[in-house]
Amino acid sequence: MQSDSPLIKLDAVSKHFGEFQALKQVSLEVGLGEKVVICGPSGSGKSTLIRCVNRLEAHESGTIVIDGIELNESPQNLRQIRAKVGMVFQQFNLFPHLTVLENLMLGPVRARKLPREQARETALNYLGRVRIPEQADKYPRQLSGGQQQRVAIARSLCMEPEILLFDEPTSALDPEMINEVLDVMVELADSGMTMICVTHEMGFAKKVADKMVFMDHGEIVEEATPDKFFSAPDSPRCQDFLEKILHH
Amino acid sequence: MFVKRPKRKILVLALPVLLSGCSGDWGWYVVDPTTPTGLTNLKFLLSGLYYTVSLSLIAILISVFVGLLVALPGLSQKRYLRRINRVYVELVRAIPILVLILWVYYGLPQVTGLSIGVFWAGVIALALSDSAFQAEIFRAGIQSIDKGQYEASHSISLSYPDMMRFVILPQAIKRILPALGNQLVYMLKMSSLVSVIGMQELTRKANELVVSEYRPLEIYTILVLEYLVLILIVSAGVRWLERKMKTDER
Ligand SMILES: Nc1ncnc2c1ncn2[C@@H]1O[C@H](COP(=O)(O)OP(=O)(O)O)[C@@H](O)[C@H]1O
Ligand SMILES: [Mg+2]
């Protein structure tokens, strides 16, 4: 792979839901190890954008290339890309009928074809990394929201992804649990993981982001370094938005 | 404290027997286990149990399997696959079970050139008929699973079969268990229709005994009780299974 080409490259990506255009010619590049934080008002297309990156939504036009592989109809390409890209959801989406350990081992055993013993070791290792090694044999609904989200992060990590997507990972959490999840995410960022995070946690963004993206009406309106983004964004819509969420 | 639920059930079961004392029309001697003929007759009636139960169980296993296979295309994004599901369900559901039994037993051998016994004709007809209902039950059950479960499965690269087997179906089956229990009860009852092609199950045995003993009232009362007990046992079993699956999650 050429070291100068970005790990993720979206070029003029568009997506409709019926008549409604959720993404309008969106282009974005993310380099290896880079952390991108996306924010913007509700309904602006943030989720749709990152869901296109692992094809939970199929884009209609434009191109998405990840680690040199184009994301298109090819099932083989899709398989390769999904193996590289993990995702953490707002609603956790843990498997409620499986224990924490089983949640973590399912992907490694079935998709990565690891032997059970090795999958178990991997799972316990990552459960330690998200600081809940003692919850391995519980069911998801016996855990707090913050713990569940950390299990979900560990589940993604067990697939040894190169890229992690986060879709508002702390929006469904009670305020007192937000930090335990953000701490884990900061640690991940420090470990060199490539991350795209949709979040309105601006403290987190200032700490880890290499690049800030502001979306509105299906477009990227502002794309800047955190310094510039938080001090002097170009677009008035972005200024407005930041004002609202930073000083409310 | 004085009328507990299980006791009331026994009371209901014993009612016909008690009634017999009140009327001269009852002749329980035909199935009186203390007399040799009565005992023989009773054993004859009960001997149908084996076929009723085995026919129903095998038929329900097949219909669950076929129902699942028919439900899956019904959940597809592709319209032609959904149409296959609809056509199957609508067609099979439209055929009366009795007609299906007759057609499978007398018609199918002529079409295929294979002769099938009474037992397997009954199994095929009941399973086929029930599979349309199973398909609808599975489709509804699978559709009730949150789409986040599919997305999480995709995000950890599970293949479609693995996703269905390890994530979607275990949750769906738990939800449709009561409906599956209903279908089993329904199947046990419908198996009585297979008596028309000579299947030696409970109903057929009762019919034969009535012909030789001329005591329809008593014999058919026993038949009613046989089905009642069988179905009460099945219902209790299904409830036990439901409770067990719930507590397994704790
Ligand atoms: N599956 C869908 N069907 C129809 N409309 C959708 C669907 N998903 C998203 N949308 C619409 O697309 C727009 C962008 O949604 P989304 O990407 O979820 O926004 P955000 O994550 O920024 O809040 C919204 O107006 C939403 O209503
Ligand atoms: Mg969203």
Side-chain angles (χ1 to χ4, degrees):
Chain A
M1 223 108 312
Q2 318 89 305
S3 58
D4 54 342
S5 74
L7 186 58
I8 305 172
K9 187 169 162 61
L10 283 76
D11 191 24
V13 171
S14 292
K15 169 81 187 170
H16 284 81
F17 291 110
E19 294 284 284
F20 180 78
Q21 187 164 10
L23 291 180
K24 300 170 186 162
Q25 306 264 328
V26 174
S27 299
L28 180 69
E29 294 186 359
V30 182
L32 178 66
E34 202 175 0
K35 285 92 185 132
V36 176
V37 170
I38 303 177
C39 60
S42 171
S44 57
K46 309 178 296 294
S47 297
T48 307
L49 180 66
I50 67 165
R51 289 158 59 83
C52 281
V53 174
N54 66 348
R55 212 172 171 83
L56 291 182
E57 305 287 358
H59 60 289
E60 301 154 357
S61 60
T63 54
I64 300 177
V65 180
I66 292 162
D67 204 5
I69 306 164
E70 183 171 356
L71 192 51
N72 50 26
E73 270 80 47
S74 154
Q76 193 193 343
N77 288 11
L78 179 62
R79 213 165 33 243
Q80 288 179 354
I81 287 173
R82 287 224 172 119
K84 292 175 196 287
V85 182
M87 185 160 199
V88 175
F89 303 87
Q90 182 175 353
Q91 299 299 338
F92 327 140
N93 293 344
L94 293 175
F95 306 130
H97 61 299
L98 300 179
T99 64
V100 166
L101 194 61
E102 290 165 341
N103 264 277
L104 301 198
M105 286 173 62
L106 185 58
V109 169
R110 302 304 307 185
R112 291 179 63 207
K113 312 285 182 205
L114 290 188
R116 287 194 75 81
E117 244 341 281
Q118 200 181 334
R120 204 183 132 82
E121 243 168 65
T122 310
L124 290 174
N125 173 31
Y126 282 116
L127 214 49
R129 288 264 301 266
V130 299
R131 303 184 198 134
I132 34 175
E134 72 285 357
Q135 310 288 5
D137 296 317
K138 290 207 178 147
Y139 284 91
R141 60 194 170 74
Q142 296 171 297
L143 305 182
S144 72
Q147 290 172 326
Q148 288 190 47
Q149 192 59 297
R150 285 185 283 155
V151 171
I153 293 172
R155 178 175 67 182
S156 294
L157 291 174
C158 283
M159 299 303 291
E160 312 278 2
E162 293 171 30
I163 300 158
L164 263 188
L165 310 172
F166 292 84
D167 192 359
E168 304 206 31
T170 57
S171 298
L173 297 177
D174 293 335
E176 75 272 17
M177 294 171 184
I178 290 177
N179 280 329
E180 62 189 59
V181 172
L182 291 179
D183 288 348
V184 166
M185 290 171 63
V186 169
E187 237 169 65
L188 258 178
D190 291 342
S191 77
M193 177 71 74
T194 307
M195 293 162 65
I196 304 181
C197 311
V198 174
T199 181
H200 293 151
E201 295 295 332
M202 290 304 142
F204 167 81
K206 283 175 184 163
K207 213 180 281 177
V208 309
D210 299 307
K211 190 193 285 174
M212 293 298 302
V213 169
F214 172 75
M215 287 186 74
D216 198 11
H217 297 297
E219 291 172 307
I220 292 183
V221 176
E222 183 98 28
E223 185 180 334
T225 62
D227 279 350
K228 172 152 173 27
F229 188 86
F230 288 110
S231 58
D234 290 332
S235 100
R237 276 190 279 173
C238 184
Q239 285 168 14
D240 259 12
F241 178 79
L242 284 176
E243 215 136 279
K244 269 186 212 131
I245 66 165
L246 292 175
H247 317 281
H248 66 113
Chain B
M1 235 4 234
F2 29 80
V3 187
K4 276 196 237 148
R5 280 203 146 266
K7 286 212 180 122
R8 206 177 324 165
K9 243 178 227 166
I10 292 167
L11 216 67
V12 172
L13 292 182
L15 207 61
V17 185
L18 294 174
L19 275 175
S20 67
C22 312
S23 160
D25 289 345
W26 293 79
W28 282 111
Y29 66 89
V30 275
V31 288
D32 183 352
T34 58
T35 68
T37 13
L39 189 62
T40 314
N41 286 345
L42 204 57
K43 276 187 182 158
F44 180 77
L45 285 176
L46 285 172
S47 67
L49 200 60
Y50 171 76
Y51 280 121
T52 291
V53 171
S54 56
L55 183 99
S56 303
L57 285 182
I58 295 174
I60 198 110
L61 285 179
I62 296 174
S63 81
V64 162
F65 184 72
V66 175
L68 177 57
L69 284 186
V70 174
L72 293 179
L75 295 157
S76 170
Q77 310 278 348
K78 301 195 182 79
R79 182 185 294 205
Y80 78 94
L81 285 176
R82 285 204 308 273
R83 185 151 303 161
I84 290 174
N85 166 279
R86 285 329 299 163
V87 168
Y88 182 93
V89 169
E90 296 299 337
L91 271 185
V92 173
R93 221 165 35 178
I95 309 171
I97 297 183
L98 187 54
V99 174
L100 200 57
I101 291 169
L102 293 171
W103 191 85
V104 168
Y105 186 59
Y106 296 108
L108 198 59
Q110 285 197 16
V111 177
T112 60
L114 299 165
S115 73
I116 34 177
V118 171
F119 182 81
W120 288 104
V123 166
I124 291 170
L126 288 186
L128 207 60
S129 164
D130 195 52
S131 66
F133 296 92
Q134 296 287 0
E136 290 295 88
I137 291 171
F138 269 105
R139 193 167 62 91
I142 292 171
Q143 269 170 347
S144 77
I145 302 298
D146 181 60
K147 95 183 198 312
Q149 295 289 304
Y150 291 88
E151 295 181 349
S153 305
H154 291 320
S155 81
I156 57 166
S157 300
L158 291 187
S159 64
Y160 177 81
D162 281 349
M163 172 176 79
M164 292 314 275
R165 179 171 157 209
F166 295 105
V167 178
I168 305 300
L169 285 178
Q171 297 182 63
I173 285 172
K174 203 174 290 182
R175 288 190 197 176
I176 65 182
L177 205 61
L180 291 183
N182 275 343
Q183 285 309 111
L184 180 54
V185 166
Y186 181 73
M187 188 71 95
L188 282 166
K189 295 197 284 188
M190 291 308 131
S191 71
S192 63
L193 292 173
V194 186
S195 63
V196 297
I197 54 172
M199 175 77 195
Q200 295 288 316
E201 43 64 74
L202 290 173
T203 304
R204 176 74 179 199
K205 294 280 184 187
N207 280 335
E208 288 182 0
L209 196 63
V210 165
V211 170
S212 63
E213 294 283 355
Y214 307 109
R215 299 294 325 184
L217 180 57
E218 294 74 15
I219 291 167
Y220 287 137
T221 303
I222 294 285
L223 184 60
V224 168
L225 292 181
E226 284 174 319
Y227 281 111
L228 203 57
V229 170
L230 197 56
I231 282 158
L232 287 178
I233 291 172
V234 167
S235 306
V238 171
R239 272 200 306 279
W240 173 81
L241 202 62
E242 271 171 53
R243 265 201 312 277
K244 186 169 149 38
M245 288 188 119
K246 270 211 190 90
T247 49
D248 269 359
E249 267 177 44
R250 301 239 143 150

